[in-house]
Amino acid sequence: MLPPPPPYVEDGPLSPPPFPSQSRAPPTLITLPPHLLLRIVYDTFSGGPVKSQRKILYWLTMSLRLVNRALYIACMHVLRSTYLPAYSALVRPPYTSDPFPLSLPDSPYVPTSSTSPRSGTASLLPLQSVQRETRVLDLFIALKVREDVWADESELHLEREESFKDLFDLMQPRARLEDLVRTYGVREGVVSTSSSYSSSSPTASTPLLSPPCPSGKKGMNGHGAESSSSRWTNGTSRVASSRIPFSALSVSFSPRAVGLVLTTRERKKTIVQVPRTREETLEVSARKLVGELRAWVASNHGGFGVR
């Protein structure tokens, strides 16, 4: 005779399906999903007169975005999309602008243990974008919202033209040129955006370019030539180490010349400099810099740090 079937449920308190027995914490503003939080921020200034909308944008910039990470990203999404047309209109030819590229390289952002799907921030982008022109756009937004609110409050307030002069005469073309150098440099294999370089800057004791192995040194197998596995490993590491981290590079910009500056923990040094004309596009200048950088990397392949 067959034994009786086991009970369907174990002994203990039961909860009516489909409700779980554990009690859930009530949702808060921090635990909301990103798309709901973004909709809430959008609805704060939808409709109404233009003067009232400018005050709300000022409040988003000066107050709401400083509450936490999730609200910061939601507010910056609204602010950047709102002020991007005004920013693009002030870019001076022959300069170009691209603060939001279609595809970004590997980000140095690494999720921490505090980032959880429940908090709604696991899928959010990092606060610090690898696109350096994005920071220029953020500075423009902080200046523009203040000027707009002050102009609405008093007819005596006049927007000063020199307020935006440094942004679009120097900072915007320099940041755009740095982004182009990163794009072309990664394509040519001389610049790296890997997250392994983002935690610390290169030092003089840490070679940016690995020295070649002496020809007279014996390999691991006791012969003059290295084994196939060691040759592959050394070749792969040599190619990877010959790329300069983008975090250590910056651009020196002037109407007549542009250069690349390599920053270490001990000093800064201009490693590449090329002339340019006022009518020359930033794309042409970036290609020149990357070509000179490739030659510099080849000539410094046996050195340590900066020569």
Side-chain angles (χ1 to χ4, degrees):
M1 187 174 181
L2 297 176
Y8 291 101
V9 294
E10 298 180 355
D11 297 337
L14 300 178
S15 58
F19 306 104
S21 58
Q22 296 86 4
S23 60
R24 291 184 178 180
T28 62
L29 192 62
I30 299 178
T31 59
L32 285 177
H35 66 282
L36 294 180
L37 192 61
L38 182 61
R39 180 58 186 268
I40 293 174
V41 175
Y42 261 116
D43 290 341
T44 56
F45 74 103
S46 59
V50 177
K51 185 176 180 180
S52 177
Q53 291 183 10
R54 287 177 175 175
K55 286 186 176 180
I56 295 177
L57 291 172
Y58 182 84
W59 171 71
L60 292 179
T61 305
M62 300 300 176
S63 301
L64 184 60
R65 69 170 181 163
L66 305 180
V67 174
N68 56 34
R69 172 191 172 88
L71 281 174
Y72 178 89
I73 296 177
C75 291
M76 292 310 298
H77 180 87
V78 174
L79 291 169
R80 288 167 179 170
S81 60
T82 302
Y83 285 98
L84 182 59
Y87 173 85
S88 302
L90 293 177
V91 175
R92 303 176 181 180
Y95 303 149
T96 57
S97 175
D98 188 17
F100 301 114
L102 295 178
S103 60
L104 284 174
D106 296 335
S107 173
Y109 170 70
V110 178
T112 59
S113 58
S114 60
T115 303
S116 61
R118 184 178 179 182
S119 63
T121 59
S123 60
L124 295 178
L125 293 176
L127 297 182
Q128 298 295 333
S129 173
V130 72
Q131 192 80 357
R132 294 186 180 178
E133 193 183 355
T134 305
R135 174 170 172 78
V136 181
L137 174 61
D138 294 345
L139 293 175
F140 169 79
I141 292 172
L143 178 60
K144 183 64 175 174
V145 294
R146 186 191 65 179
E147 292 291 331
D148 289 344
V149 171
W150 286 2
D152 292 336
E153 291 295 330
S154 175
E155 296 180 353
L156 301 178
H157 178 74
L158 300 177
E159 186 177 282
R160 296 170 296 178
E161 296 182 358
E162 62 271 14
S163 300
F164 303 94
K165 184 176 177 60
D166 289 340
L167 282 177
F168 294 96
D169 281 355
L170 176 61
M171 299 184 67
Q172 188 276 329
R174 182 177 60 189
R176 171 62 174 161
L177 184 58
E178 289 175 346
D179 292 332
L180 290 172
V181 168
R182 185 201 70 231
T183 302
Y184 297 153
V186 170
R187 188 182 306 169
E188 296 293 332
V190 294
V191 175
S192 171
T193 58
S194 175
S195 59
S196 60
Y197 293 104
S198 61
S199 60
S200 62
S201 300
T203 61
S205 59
T206 304
L208 287 173
L209 310 173
S210 61
C213 181
S215 58
K217 186 177 180 180
K218 294 184 179 181
M220 297 296 295
N221 55 3
H223 301 285
E226 296 180 348
S227 62
S228 59
S229 60
S230 61
R231 286 197 304 268
W232 185 88
T233 303
N234 293 337
T236 304
S237 61
R238 188 178 297 114
V239 171
S241 61
S242 63
R243 298 181 180 182
I244 301 178
F246 179 65
S247 59
L249 290 176
S250 60
V251 167
S252 60
F253 184 87
S254 67
R256 298 298 182 184
V258 290
L260 283 179
V261 179
L262 180 63
T263 303
T264 65
R265 291 180 179 177
E266 283 132 4
R267 60 175 177 174
K268 292 183 178 181
K269 181 179 180 181
T270 301
I271 58 176
V272 170
Q273 189 169 13
V274 295
R276 70 178 300 269
T277 61
R278 292 182 178 272
E279 296 78 17
E280 185 175 277
T281 63
L282 297 176
E283 288 76 7
V284 173
S285 300
R287 291 189 180 94
K288 290 182 179 179
L289 288 175
V290 172
E292 293 294 328
L293 180 61
R294 191 191 311 113
W296 184 88
V297 169
S299 62
N300 287 265
H301 188 72
F304 291 86
V306 180
R307 279 188 174 180

